[in-house]
């Protein structure tokens, strides 16, 4: 088996005396495609549509960022989306950033296997510190929820400031709801994970690991913050249970 072969997610399938906080370490990197496919409803559609959105909003000679790129699925979707856009892809460069060295190592492997011709650079860096500029499209898919709430507006303001007029941000997040709807959405998400083969033990241990790491917010909180950051138009373009994707245009 190659070091880069994708493996099934069995991280939480045996009882753990003390469940450690969730981190994007080498163990998670090895199983990430299986984990996210079985945990995040609508993930494949979110990735594919990120490419289509990138194709519409890419501007010649600009940078496109995939912040918190993990294994580079959205990076690749953006690459092929802007290639299909013809002249808008001229001189574009895609930069994928993640603070997990294990994720970046695997992402570079997958990028190298791809036959796309738009320049791609994968960088191991903290997205809160990395300088952004000349951006036509930025993707921030299922990343903001792992950043401390008090740092979220600062990051989005930096992205907006780096975005060219008419450029766009794709933001995907797990959200929370009013009490009554929250209960139903939680149950539907649990049903989704069970339907994808996760046991109640795996679900419970994963929840313990991620409880204080992933902090969701309401849809309205996201929309208001995106506008406060400097985006003039914000729409929710996709939702599957408690996972949504926004398009914010400057």
């Amino acid at each position: 088996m190659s070091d880069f072969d994708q493996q099934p997610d069995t991280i939480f399938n045996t009882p753990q005396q003390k469940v450690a906080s969730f981190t994007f370490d080498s163990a998670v990197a090895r199983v990430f495609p299986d984990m996210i496919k079985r945990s995040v409803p609508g993930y494949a559609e979110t990735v594919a549509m990120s490419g289509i959105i990138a194709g519409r909003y890419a501007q010649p000679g600009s940078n496109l960022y995939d912040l918190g790129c993990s294994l580079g699925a959205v990076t690749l979707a953006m690459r092929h989306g802007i290639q299909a856009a013809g002249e808008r892809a001229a001189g574009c460069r895609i930069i994928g950033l993640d603070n997990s060295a294990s994720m970046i190592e695997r992402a570079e492997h997958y990028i190298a296997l791809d036959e796309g011709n738009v320049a791609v650079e994968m960088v191991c860096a903290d997205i809160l510190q990395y300088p952004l500029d000349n951006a036509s499209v930025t993707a921030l898919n299922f990343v903001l929820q792992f950043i401390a709430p008090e740092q979220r507006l600062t990051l989005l303001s930096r992205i907006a400031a780096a975005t060219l007029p008419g450029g766009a941000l794709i933001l995907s997040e797990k959200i929370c709801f009013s009490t009554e709807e929250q209960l139903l959405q939680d149950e539907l998400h649990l049903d989704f994970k069970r339907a994808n083969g996760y046991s109640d033990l795996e679900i419970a241990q994963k929840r313990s690991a991620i409880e204080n790491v992933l902090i969701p917010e309401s849809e309205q909180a996201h929309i208001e913050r995106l506008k406060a950051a400097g985006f003039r138009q914000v729409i929710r373009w996709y939702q599957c249970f408690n996972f949504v994707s926004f398009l914010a245009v400057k």
Side-chain angles (χ1 to χ4, degrees):
M1 176 182 292
S2 165
D3 288 342
F4 297 102
D5 286 345
Q6 298 175 8
Q7 300 175 25
D9 176 20
T10 58
I11 290 176
F12 297 101
N13 71 345
T14 55
Q16 300 178 19
Q17 187 172 2
K18 183 179 180 181
V19 180
S21 293
F22 187 86
T23 59
F24 291 92
D25 56 15
S26 58
V28 169
R30 285 193 296 270
V31 304
F32 187 74
D34 185 57
M35 175 184 283
I36 199 161
K37 180 178 69 176
R38 296 165 64 197
S39 301
V40 178
Y43 178 71
E45 288 79 6
T46 300
V47 170
M49 296 307 108
S50 293
I52 289 175
I53 292 171
R56 170 170 286 272
Y57 288 95
Q59 299 180 28
S62 66
N63 295 325
L64 291 86
Y65 293 97
D66 182 8
L67 302 182
C69 62
S70 61
L71 302 185
V74 170
T75 302
L76 287 171
M78 292 169 76
R79 179 187 237 183
H80 291 279
I82 66 174
Q83 280 178 191
E87 292 182 359
R88 285 200 299 276
C92 284
R93 179 177 62 145
I94 304 173
I95 303 165
L97 288 100
D98 203 288
N99 65 358
S100 168
S102 297
M103 289 290 192
I104 289 294
E105 180 185 13
R106 288 174 173 268
E108 288 177 333
H109 170 75
Y110 299 133
I111 297 297
L113 295 175
D114 183 65
E115 296 182 353
N117 55 26
V118 175
V120 172
E121 180 183 359
M122 308 305 289
V123 180
C124 186
D126 182 352
I127 65 172
L128 296 175
Q129 303 296 327
Y130 190 86
L132 309 172
D133 71 332
N134 192 37
S136 59
V137 182
T138 299
L140 193 64
N141 286 325
F142 310 112
V143 174
L144 196 67
Q145 59 201 20
F146 291 105
I147 292 173
E150 63 271 17
Q151 295 178 306
R152 295 175 183 179
L153 177 57
T154 299
L155 173 60
L156 293 176
S157 297
R158 286 181 56 238
I159 294 171
T163 301
L164 299 167
L169 167 67
I170 305 161
L171 174 68
S172 303
E173 288 281 288
K174 182 179 183 179
I175 62 170
C176 57
F177 304 86
S178 62
T179 303
E180 185 176 354
E181 184 175 356
Q182 185 68 54
L183 293 172
L184 176 56
Q185 293 282 7
D186 279 345
E187 287 301 319
L188 290 170
H189 188 206
L190 290 174
D191 289 343
F192 171 84
K193 289 194 276 192
R194 292 187 186 106
N196 280 307
Y198 281 127
S199 67
D200 287 341
L201 173 66
E202 289 175 288
I203 291 169
Q205 293 193 144
K206 173 74 173 296
R207 175 175 283 181
S208 295
I210 211 163
E211 188 172 20
N212 295 317
V213 178
L214 191 162
I215 303 173
E217 297 176 290
S218 69
E219 176 179 10
Q220 191 60 34
H222 282 293
I223 292 173
E224 290 176 359
R225 185 168 49 227
L226 286 165
K227 290 184 177 179
F231 292 98
R232 62 177 175 80
Q233 181 183 21
V234 181
I235 64 166
R236 169 171 42 84
W237 62 269
Y238 186 77
Q239 178 174 353
C240 189
F241 300 150
N242 47 357
F243 291 83
V244 304
S245 292
F246 302 100
L247 173 63
V249 180
K250 183 173 176 181

